[in-house]
Structures are given as C-alpha cells and as structure tokens.
Amino acid sequence: MYNSLSYKSKQFFWLIIKLSIVIGCGYFIQQRLTSNNKLQFSAFYQNLIKNDIFSIKNSIFLFIFTFLNWFLEITKWEILASFCVKTSKKNATIQSLASLTTSLITPNRIGEYGAKALYFNKSLRKQVVGLNIIGNFYQMIITLFLGVIGFLYFVYKHNISIDYSKISRFVWIVFLVILVLIFGINYFKSKNNFVEKVKTFIDRIPLKLNLKVGFISLLRFLVFSHQFYFVLLLFKVDISYLDAISAITTVYFISSMVPMLSLFDFVLKGTVAIWVFSFFTIEPFVILSATTIMWVFNFVLPAIIGSYFVLTFKPNFVK
C-alpha cells in the first residue's frame, strides 16, 4: 500500500514539474512577443506583412536554415552522447528539443544539462553532463574566435575608439582569476581526486570526436549567422555581405559574454544589434524585427516541439 502511494506521489510530482515547465515556457514566450515595449506586436506584424516575410519561398528558406541549425545541433549531441552509450538520431532529437524547452527559463540555459542527463541511467549522468559541457564549449569557442575577427574588422572599419586602459585592467583581472583557478585546482587536487577524474574523463575523449564536434559547431555558427543575413535581406536592409557578417559575428560575440535567461536572449541580442547596426544607419525597429524572427525560428518553434517531449518524458521509476 505504501509503495503504491509512493509510486503515485512520484508520478504526480513529475506531472506537476512537466506541466510547470511547459506552461512557464509558453507564458514567457507569449510575454516576450506581446509585451515588448521596444517592439509593439501589431507594428511588428504589419512590418512582416509589408515585407512579405512569410511568403512561401521565404518561409521555405527560413525553415531550411532552422532545420539545418537544429540538425547539426542534434547530430553533435548524437556523436557526444554515443561516446557514453549508443544513441540514435531519434533519441538525440528528443533529448535536444526537450532540454531546449526546459532550459529556456534558466540562466545561460543551465537547465539543459540536467534535462539531458535525466534521459540516461544514473551511473552515466555525470559523464552526460560533462559531454554536454564539451559540446557547448566548442560552440562558445567558435563564437568567440569568429566573433573576435568580426569585431576587430568592425572596429577598424568604423574607427571606433577603445579605452585600452579598461581593456588592460580587464586582462589583468582575467589573468588573476586564471592564477586563482590554477592554485585552486592544485589545492583540490591534493585534497581529493575530483580534478584527476575530470582530467581522466577529458583524456578519454578521442581527438577524432573533438574534431567532429568542433567542425559541426563551426558549420552551425555559419548556418545561423547566414540565416540572420538572409533575414536582413528580407527586410530590404542595404548592407554589403562583408559588413553584415562582421556586424552579425560582433553581435553574437558581445551577447555570448553576458549571462542571461535564454527567454531574454533575443532582447539582449536585439539591444546589442541595435548598437552595432546603428553604424550602418539601419532603423532599430528593423533590427529588432530581424532578431525576433531569428528567436522565433531557432528557439520558439523548436521549444514548442520540445514541449511535447517534456510532457511525454517518463523518469526511470515509471519506465
């Protein structure tokens, strides 16, 4: 009798959690789209109609970009997860989209790590979290590397003045933080074998897998940055390809360094993009419209699909 009640209590508990995630995600998406002071939904909608954004041809191209973006992300996760236990494309898709839905209401999408780990046996969850960190690390490295190149070109092209004294102070702070981390790691290494376990885990990952994940991360960055460029063209923005790509990589570079709820990610990117594209005398409304379209196609639509997988998720005790 007790076990039966406990089982039902756990089922009810998980149902509440899943419903809270889906309802919370839906509510915040609705709020971001309809309660943005900088982008009135009615004006945004009229702008879409005016530029024929959702014509059949334009919609097909936008969906192709989104499909490629998430196909690459799912493939990357399939490769990483298969290092731990053989994972099919179908399972990788379910895990990726469900974790996206879960992560939208957490800072820096940290909920993604726990959500993906729940799909695996308890003994594998630490490894799964580690593999997820590696996948996101490569995506961040690609964003920073290409972002720095784009940013330097952007600064040179527009002769933007930079306070080098502030940069030098920042570099010194980063250097000190690295030193503290090194001493901290050596201290903990002497106290326990946690760092050794992490090092052993990283050393176990073959070079071929690292190269695959890095290459897929590069392809994914190229896909969503060119999707952004395509959206700008749909809004009839007069800008050269080189200027557009340097500006787009600069936007991703700056916004990637600011911790924020994923649901507010497009607000951050919109704010940064307004400043960057102001050097090309492009109206803020157009840029906000473009970043919103990007957010809807690459986060909202996949999150809606992921909501189904969240609701149908069954924890180990009910499988």
Side-chain angles (χ1 to χ4, degrees), residues 26-60:
Y27 172 76
F28 282 114
I29 287 173
Q30 184 266 336
Q31 286 293 301
R32 291 307 97 199
L33 289 175
T34 60
S35 302
N36 188 347
N37 295 328
K38 295 181 179 179
L39 184 67
Q40 295 299 323
F41 184 76
S42 58
F44 172 61
Y45 176 75
Q46 290 300 321
N47 199 25
L48 297 182
I49 300 300
K50 175 185 174 183
N51 291 283
D52 201 20
I53 300 298
F54 292 129
S55 67
I56 294 176
K57 183 180 72 173
N58 292 340
S59 296
I60 289 173

Side-chain angles (χ1 to χ4, degrees), residues 19 45 65 76-77 82 84 90 106 120 154 170 182 235 245 256-257 264 283-284 308:
L19 287 174
Y45 176 75
F65 274 115
K76 182 170 69 173
W77 177 241
S82 293
C84 210
K90 177 184 176 181
T106 58
F120 296 82
F154 176 76
F170 176 76
I182 291 173
F235 282 107
I245 292 300
S256 67
M257 295 187 291
F264 298 91
E283 293 182 12
Y308 170 78

Side-chain angles (χ1 to χ4, degrees), residues 225-240:
S225 59
H226 282 78
Q227 184 182 24
F228 199 151
Y229 175 62
F230 176 69
V231 172
L232 291 176
L233 294 181
L234 292 183
F235 282 107
K236 301 177 176 61
V237 172
D238 184 17
I239 187 172
S240 70

Side-chain angles (χ1 to χ4, degrees), residues 74-229:
I74 289 165
T75 301
K76 182 170 69 173
W77 177 241
E78 178 189 6
I79 293 170
L80 284 165
S82 293
F83 176 74
C84 210
V85 57
K86 184 63 179 176
T87 304
S88 66
K89 186 78 72 180
K90 177 184 176 181
N91 287 336
T93 300
I94 293 171
Q95 292 160 15
S96 297
L97 294 180
S99 64
L100 169 68
T101 304
T102 306
S103 70
L104 282 179
I105 53 176
T106 58
N108 268 24
R109 295 182 58 184
I110 197 170
E112 173 189 353
Y113 299 99
K116 280 181 179 173
L118 287 173
Y119 281 94
F120 296 82
N121 291 331
K122 192 174 182 179
S123 60
L124 298 174
R125 287 175 184 170
K126 289 182 180 179
Q127 294 184 58
V128 170
V129 171
L131 291 166
N132 201 17
I133 290 172
I134 289 172
N136 289 334
F137 171 77
Y138 274 106
Q139 197 67 60
M140 176 63 76
I141 289 298
I142 294 296
T143 300
L144 294 179
F145 176 73
L146 295 179
V148 166
I149 295 173
F151 179 70
L152 290 175
Y153 174 83
F154 176 76
V155 169
Y156 171 77
K157 177 75 180 290
H158 298 280
N159 195 27
I160 299 173
S161 60
I162 298 176
D163 190 337
Y164 290 100
S165 63
K166 289 184 178 179
I167 293 178
S168 63
R169 285 198 296 270
F170 176 76
V171 170
W172 273 109
I173 291 171
V174 171
F175 177 70
L176 291 173
V177 168
I178 292 173
L179 283 180
V180 170
L181 286 174
I182 291 173
F183 283 116
I185 288 171
N186 288 331
Y187 173 79
F188 283 111
K189 187 175 179 179
S190 64
K191 294 293 181 180
N192 55 56
N193 62 350
F194 173 75
V195 175
E196 278 298 324
K197 287 181 179 179
V198 172
K199 185 177 181 301
T200 302
F201 173 72
I202 294 174
D203 290 341
R204 282 177 52 214
I205 299 174
L207 176 63
K208 186 177 179 180
L209 187 147
N210 281 281
L211 292 175
K212 279 184 178 180
V213 173
F215 181 65
I216 292 173
S217 298
L218 172 62
L219 290 179
R220 186 167 179 247
F221 183 89
L222 294 175
V223 166
F224 61 70
S225 59
H226 282 78
Q227 184 182 24
F228 199 151
Y229 175 62

